[in-house]
Amino acid sequence: MNRYPLWKYLLIIVALVFGALYTVPNFFGKSPAIQINSARATVKVESDMLGRVEQALKAQDLTATSLSYENNGTQGSVRARFKDADIQFKAKAALEKALNTDPADPLYSISFNLLNDTPKWLQSLHALPMSLGLDLQGGVHFLMQVDTKALLNTRLQGLQSTVRSVLRDKEVRHSGISRDGQQITVKFRDADTLGKAKNVLSSQINDVQMTDVKNADNTELSLLITLKPEALKAAVTEGVKQNIIALSKRVNELGVAEPIIQQQGADRIVVELPGVQDVNRAKDIIGRQATLEVRLVDESVIGLVDENTAVPFGSELFKVGRGAPAILYKDPVITGDYISGASASFDQHQQPSVSIDLNGDGGSKMREGTRGKIGKKMAIVLFEKGKGELLTVATIQDELGSRFNITGMGSTAASSDLALLLRAGSLAAPMDFIEESTIGPQLGADNIQKGFNSTLYGFIAIAVFMIAYYMLFGVFSVMALSVNLLLLVAILSLLQATLTLPGMAAIALALGMAIDANVLINERIREELRAGNTPQAAISIGFDRAWATILDSNVTTLIVGLALLIFGSGPIKAFAIVHCLGIATSMFSAVFVSRGVVNLWYGRKKKLTSLAIGQIWKPAD
């Protein structure tokens, strides 16, 4: 009657192995380490940095226990693990001397870090410890608001410039172009010209709506151009993403192992930097502005340019970057503030290039700056921390306007990188710090200890009560509760969830909810024994009848958890995630695992006369 098929026991064993594998990484410690990141937007840390680091350490008789390279899609980093903190400090000094030849202008950011000691064979299975939130390990939290009005203004300025350049290129005459809010108005003298302009613009520009407007006596004709609602929404979304990319590149300089940079709502960005305590430095790096300038090359200099070349008055020598050294005029043609978009593309010869869109003023300045300069060279310079670096030097093929291409990139990777720099070199829109907080590492350590103790003491109290009240069935319930806790921690580790204080509270709550299901099962079995059923029948009927009640109570609680997950944010969402996962694991452990253990112990006993389930009180006659 009470026997589980073999496949169910195999499933329980698989669940236990899974739980053990993905829970155990949380019990390994951390080793002192050094993290090498790029300190410049144009310098990338490639995999060959591993050899340079190893060679620099060997030159100082230092040994790293492990070296690893990681690439997050925008910037790579190298991490070197060491035996103790003393070697870590010596290694940092050795690497700064070897990698940064000019301490005043470092190429790489070399910072202290702590790395998990999880064995490699577990890491290969993606068995990693949970990340700790700021409230558990300390750090800095920022909430920033993106200025969407400035973002849309830039987008509309670019659209206005594009409309003007398209009509001029197609030789369509108009009486003026103006912008009022999110609407661009183009005036015409006759209907035929308006129709021609409408056809030309619809074929050249996407994501816009065009409406004809005439006054009462048809003496004034206008074409109203607005961005489609989905295009406006996409512009905001793309701008927020561009800011996130720019912030990701900047926090690398802080040497943060696991920064959290994510969008919250439509126009807010959350930045969490675990382990960082210097708020002012973090704000300076996150909020700094990297600027771009387009300058003409001073070709009055005859011969090869090197560091000893005399620089004419009004010009400047650039020694770093692609095409360096080069002498450029100090006065820029345009700055990066005029760039409204940049994307990797291909030229007419199907060679990699970068397409650049300028806003209205930028297009005018570019036309004026390149008029009559065909065959001359033009350079794009990135200024960061007051120092300029050449991104590219190209030859002007034609008079440039609001749209132009940079060719000769060599590879699609180079064009993608340059487009990214042009977009992320400066923020797409300004941001305001609307919330900031700092949590010290000691407070985080206290929170971890208190959270762990509360869960541990709660578990012990539950175990003592269950065993004292339900005897052997109490032991079975505690075993199921242990499996529930094991699976919950394993799933959170597999998902690489960030554990916070609300998450620890949800774990403690999950224990109480899970044991409630076992109490229902045990009481149902007691009722069946009081009703005169045999022990085997009482076990079978008790589990079956308790299941419906357990399902109802957990589903209603799950609905509340899902509501918190959907509508909540921050700590509330962290609580909801652990809460919902705890409901799933508790149903599995309380019913499936608990019944499996009971069936394994009692199921094969044919002449079972009693159950060790505590005192069974029968009602008086």
Side-chain angles (χ1 to χ4, degrees):
M1 177 181 289
N2 292 309
R3 294 186 181 182
Y4 255 6
L6 179 61
W7 71 267
K8 289 189 177 182
Y9 283 112
L10 291 176
L11 180 60
I12 293 175
I13 292 173
V14 170
L16 289 174
V17 172
F18 164 80
L21 280 176
Y22 288 92
T23 298
V24 72
N26 294 284
F27 295 95
F28 289 97
K30 293 186 176 183
S31 294
I34 296 293
Q35 180 169 324
I36 298 105
N37 293 97
S38 171
R40 291 183 183 176
T42 53
V43 176
K44 297 182 69 175
V45 177
E46 304 286 357
S47 57
D48 60 355
M49 178 61 71
L50 292 171
R52 295 178 60 187
V53 171
E54 186 175 11
Q55 186 177 0
L57 294 175
K58 187 180 295 184
Q60 299 295 324
D61 293 328
L62 300 173
T63 304
T65 56
S66 69
L67 286 171
S68 62
Y69 172 76
E70 294 184 9
N71 192 339
N72 61 11
T74 57
Q75 286 283 0
S77 66
V78 170
R79 297 176 184 179
R81 190 193 307 262
F82 300 95
K83 184 179 180 180
D84 53 52
D86 183 50
I87 300 177
Q88 178 193 31
F89 275 87
K90 293 179 180 178
K92 184 175 187 293
L95 291 174
E96 285 181 338
K97 183 178 180 181
L99 300 179
N100 293 323
T101 54
D102 183 3
D105 186 22
L107 296 176
Y108 303 99
S109 172
I110 301 169
S111 54
F112 294 115
N113 204 343
L114 289 174
L115 297 181
N116 295 306
D117 290 333
T118 307
K120 289 185 178 180
W121 69 272
L122 280 174
Q123 294 185 33
S124 64
L125 298 174
H126 198 63
L128 301 170
M130 286 183 286
S131 301
L132 298 180
L134 296 186
D135 51 2
L136 297 182
Q137 70 168 315
V140 179
H141 166 90
F142 295 120
L143 178 62
M144 291 177 288
Q145 177 89 39
V146 179
D147 188 349
T148 54
K149 291 184 177 179
L151 192 66
L152 292 176
N153 183 61
T154 302
R155 178 72 174 87
L156 290 168
Q157 282 182 348
L159 177 61
Q160 183 179 359
S161 174
T162 302
V163 169
R164 181 180 286 107
S165 62
V166 167
L167 294 179
R168 185 185 64 252
D169 294 342
K170 298 298 181 180
E171 297 182 351
V172 179
R173 294 183 176 275
H174 58 84
S175 302
I177 300 177
S178 60
R179 181 166 72 90
D180 182 16
Q182 296 184 2
Q183 178 178 280
I184 296 172
T185 303
V186 186
K187 297 180 180 180
F188 299 93
R189 298 184 183 280
D190 56 79
D192 291 339
T193 307
L194 186 148
K196 183 179 178 182
K198 190 173 182 180
N199 293 333
V200 168
L201 292 174
S202 61
S203 64
Q204 297 287 323
I205 305 175
N206 299 321
D207 300 328
V208 295
Q209 296 175 335
M210 290 181 281
T211 306
D212 300 350
V213 177
K214 301 179 182 178
N215 60 3
D217 54 1
N218 290 336
T219 57
E220 186 175 288
L221 308 176
S222 300
L223 182 63
L224 304 183
I225 304 173
T226 57
L227 284 171
K228 294 179 179 178
E230 55 268 26
L232 288 171
K233 184 178 179 180
V236 174
T237 302
E238 187 65 29
V240 173
K241 288 181 179 179
Q242 182 175 327
N243 276 15
I244 290 175
I245 292 173
L247 291 175
S248 299
K249 294 170 70 65
R250 294 176 182 187
V251 298
N252 281 334
E253 185 172 328
L254 291 168
V256 181
E258 295 173 339
I260 297 175
I261 304 173
Q262 59 188 14
Q263 184 173 346
Q264 185 179 93
D267 56 358
R268 291 186 175 185
I269 298 175
V270 174
V271 178
E272 293 186 355
L273 308 175
V276 175
Q277 299 301 315
D278 191 341
V279 180
N280 291 330
R281 179 169 178 258
K283 289 182 69 173
D284 176 65
I285 290 176
I286 290 174
R288 76 175 181 222
Q289 292 290 334
T291 58
L292 290 160
E293 291 186 3
V294 177
R295 296 189 183 188
L296 292 174
V297 176
D298 187 348
E299 298 185 359
S300 64
V301 180
I302 301 174
L304 294 176
V305 176
D306 56 28
E307 296 183 359
N308 298 320
T309 303
V311 180
F313 179 77
S315 297
E316 187 176 357
L317 174 64
F318 289 86
K319 305 175 184 179
V320 181
R322 202 179 204 175
I327 297 177
L328 311 180
Y329 290 108
K330 287 185 177 180
D331 294 332
V333 178
I334 60 167
T335 63
D337 297 333
Y338 297 102
I339 297 178
S340 60
S343 60
S345 60
F346 295 91
D347 61 17
Q348 62 271 26
H349 302 295
Q350 295 304 306
Q351 296 300 312
S353 65
V354 176
S355 298
I356 296 179
D357 291 329
L358 304 176
N359 59 27
D361 294 336
S364 300
K365 288 180 176 292
M366 180 62 78
R367 277 189 294 273
E368 293 174 4
T370 58
R371 187 173 295 133
K373 302 292 193 309
I374 296 175
K376 303 291 185 180
K377 290 185 177 180
M378 181 181 70
I380 297 179
V381 188
L382 175 67
F383 286 90
E384 199 169 11
K385 298 180 183 178
K387 298 182 182 295
E389 183 171 350
L390 292 174
L391 296 182
T392 184
V393 177
T395 301
I396 301 173
Q397 304 290 342
D398 197 359
E399 180 182 315
L400 304 178
S402 298
R403 285 185 174 184
F404 63 94
N405 285 353
I406 300 175
T407 59
M409 300 306 302
S411 66
T412 54
S415 63
S416 298
D417 288 345
L418 179 56
L420 177 64
L421 286 172
L422 293 173
R423 294 195 307 269
S426 57
L427 300 175
M431 296 185 296
D432 295 322
F433 289 88
I434 61 175
E435 180 182 304
E436 64 179 72
S437 60
T438 306
I439 299 176
Q442 186 58 47
L443 178 59
D446 291 341
N447 289 339
I448 292 175
Q449 190 62 44
K450 290 178 181 178
F452 179 80
N453 288 340
S454 63
T455 304
L456 176 63
Y457 296 150
F459 183 90
I460 292 174
I462 290 173
V464 170
F465 170 79
M466 293 298 291
I467 294 173
Y469 195 73
Y470 292 111
M471 299 174 64
L472 185 58
F473 271 77
V475 175
F476 296 153
S477 299
V478 173
M479 292 173 63
L481 189 64
S482 302
V483 172
N484 173 53
L485 183 59
L486 186 73
L487 292 178
L488 179 57
V489 174
I491 293 174
L492 291 173
S493 300
L494 179 64
L495 296 176
Q496 281 296 279
T498 300
L499 184 63
T500 60
L501 276 176
M504 297 188 78
I507 291 176
L509 177 63
L511 295 179
M513 293 177 58
I515 206 63
D516 181 63
N518 287 103
V519 170
L520 287 172
I521 293 171
N522 293 342
E523 288 299 329
R524 281 290 187 180
I525 294 174
R526 280 183 166 187
E527 287 181 5
E528 297 304 323
L529 290 174
R530 294 191 199 104
N533 286 311
T534 64
Q536 294 287 11
I539 292 173
S540 178
I541 297 173
F543 271 100
D544 291 340
R545 291 184 175 178
W547 166 244
T549 305
I550 294 170
L551 182 63
D552 289 344
S553 62
N554 279 279
V555 167
T556 52
T557 310
L558 182 62
I559 292 173
V560 176
L562 292 175
L564 291 175
L565 182 62
I566 294 171
F567 300 107
S569 63
I572 295 176
K573 182 168 289 188
F575 176 89
I577 291 172
V578 181
H579 176 68
C580 293
L581 291 174
I583 291 174
T585 56
S586 66
M587 291 181 67
F588 174 81
S589 61
V591 179
F592 196 83
V593 176
S594 179
R595 187 165 190 175
V597 176
V598 171
N599 288 352
L600 186 65
W601 187 266
Y602 286 113
R604 298 184 182 279
K605 295 181 180 181
K606 295 182 179 179
K607 297 182 179 181
L608 185 62
T609 58
S610 63
L611 298 177
I613 197 170
Q615 184 66 38
I616 302 174
W617 301 96
K618 294 185 179 181
D621 295 335

